């Protein structure tokens, strides 16, 4: 049943002009960063910089694209997640969803999987675009895989938090604004508290935990953080909807 709900959400996104517009705009943005990264690398490679001071093609271009992707997703996810549950509540179709032979957990996981599946198209697009560099140079596929895994976990965290805020209000716009503000704060925590080595708050920064993936490493501690983050907000969403169903 989770798969059925996820498929329904995917169809609804592709049936909406907003879904296609967001997909096209983001692909255009990532493609532009990719082209600029290649151009800048060629400019650097043809300069007077000694080879020992240069970084590889894969890292040079990928860090540009993935760095941009982490912040572009910050704007895209609230736009897509804000309607998932808030729209159901506003249109008063949520009671019909509750009356279906589905558990709250299946509903939440299905909506989460549908949104994450849609955004995964962009993650695959980025990886395939960067892989084309192998046509004229040897590249580090491990670096691309690590960054792709990190971006997937980061986006999954965005989706889980966005889904939660969509469950607490009847207004999609309010849900979108709350999601964006919360995600922005969580991304920037290490910038505000990173100077204090004893600060516990900085450890909750999403950008800090994405950093190991951005450097080409898959750290199990960072994987665990993202998984716990996703599980926490999905659980909060389930509890919120379960309370709504009990109240009728």
């Amino acid at each position: 049943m989770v798969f059925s709900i996820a498929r329904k959400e995917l169809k609804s996104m592709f049936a909406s002009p907003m879904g296609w517009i967001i997909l096209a705009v983001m692909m255009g943005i990532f493609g532009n960063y990719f082209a600029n990264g290649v151009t800048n690398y060629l400019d650097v490679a043809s300069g007077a910089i000694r080879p020992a001071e240069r970084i590889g093609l894969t890292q040079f271009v990928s860090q540009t694209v993935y760095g941009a992707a982490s912040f572009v997703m910050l704007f895209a996810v609230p736009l897509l997640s804000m309607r998932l549950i808030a729209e159901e509540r506003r249109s008063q179709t949520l009671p019909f969803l509750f009356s279906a032979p589905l558990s709250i957990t299946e509903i939440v996981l299905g909506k989460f999987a549908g949104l994450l599946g849609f955004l995964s198209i962009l993650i695959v697009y980025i990886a395939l675009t960067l892989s084309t560099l192998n046509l004229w140079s040897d590249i580090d596929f491990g670096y691309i895989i690590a960054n792709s895994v990190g971006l997937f976990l980061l986006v999954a965290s965005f989706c889980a938090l966005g889904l939660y805020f969509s469950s607490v209000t009847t207004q999609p716009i309010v849900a979108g604004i709350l999601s964006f503000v919360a995600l922005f704060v969580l991304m920037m925590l290490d910038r505000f508290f990173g100077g204090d080595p004893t600060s516990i708050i900085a450890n909750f920064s999403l950008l800090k935990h994405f950093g190991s993936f951005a450097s080409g490493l898959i750290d199990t501690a960072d994987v665990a953080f993202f998984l716990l983050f996703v599980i926490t907000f999905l659980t909060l969403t389930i509890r919120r909807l379960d309370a709504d169903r009990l109240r009728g």
Side-chain angles (χ1 to χ4, degrees), residues 1-247:
M1 296 306 293
V2 172
F3 177 77
S4 299
I5 297 175
R7 184 174 58 184
K8 174 181 174 294
E9 291 298 328
L10 271 174
K11 285 184 177 180
S12 66
M13 289 179 187
F14 282 111
S16 168
M18 177 180 286
W20 286 103
I21 291 172
I22 290 177
L23 200 63
V25 169
M26 294 181 71
M27 283 184 172
I29 292 173
F30 298 149
N32 182 63
Y33 273 100
F34 171 77
N36 288 339
V38 173
T39 301
N40 292 336
Y41 180 81
L42 293 176
D43 290 341
V44 171
S46 61
I49 302 176
R50 295 196 303 272
E53 296 176 345
R54 300 175 188 164
I55 63 176
L57 171 64
T58 309
Q59 183 178 354
F60 189 96
V61 179
S62 296
Q63 67 184 8
T64 300
V65 179
Y66 283 107
S70 62
F71 281 97
V72 172
M73 292 292 189
L74 179 64
F75 294 90
V77 173
L79 286 175
L80 292 169
S81 66
M82 66 182 186
R83 299 172 58 112
L84 289 177
I85 298 176
E87 185 66 26
E88 300 264 12
R89 196 188 301 276
R90 188 178 66 170
S91 60
Q92 298 183 349
T93 58
L94 199 56
F96 296 102
L97 192 60
F98 288 158
S99 64
L102 299 168
S103 67
I104 298 295
T105 301
E106 289 175 329
I107 294 173
V108 171
L109 291 180
K111 288 182 174 292
F112 171 76
L115 177 58
L116 185 58
F118 179 83
L119 293 169
S120 294
I121 296 173
L122 292 167
I123 299 175
V124 172
Y125 167 77
I126 292 173
L128 291 177
T129 301
L130 291 169
S131 296
T132 60
L133 294 171
N134 198 51
L135 296 175
W136 57 279
S137 176
D138 292 330
I139 64 174
D140 185 354
F141 283 103
Y143 188 86
I144 295 176
I145 291 173
N147 274 266
S148 297
V149 171
L151 184 59
F152 177 82
L153 292 171
L154 183 68
V155 170
S157 300
F158 287 1
C159 292
L161 187 141
L163 186 62
Y164 169 71
F165 280 111
S166 182
S167 71
V168 300
T169 179
T170 59
Q171 298 298 325
I173 297 299
V174 175
I177 293 174
L178 290 174
S179 299
F180 174 77
V181 172
L183 289 173
F184 182 80
V185 171
L186 286 171
M187 287 284 281
M188 295 292 106
L189 281 178
D190 65 322
R191 302 291 177 89
F192 298 123
F193 300 96
D196 183 5
T198 63
S199 175
I200 299 177
I201 299 177
N203 292 325
F204 290 95
S205 171
L206 296 177
L207 195 59
K208 177 182 179 180
H209 289 281
F210 178 68
S212 63
F213 298 98
S215 63
L217 301 174
I218 298 180
D219 191 327
T220 54
D222 293 323
V223 173
F225 171 83
F226 282 120
L227 291 179
L228 287 173
F229 187 95
V230 169
I231 292 171
T232 297
F233 279 98
L234 289 181
T235 302
L236 289 174
T237 305
I238 292 170
R239 291 176 64 86
R240 168 67 181 182
L241 293 182
D242 194 44
D244 288 344
R245 183 170 64 174
L246 291 175
R247 285 196 301 265

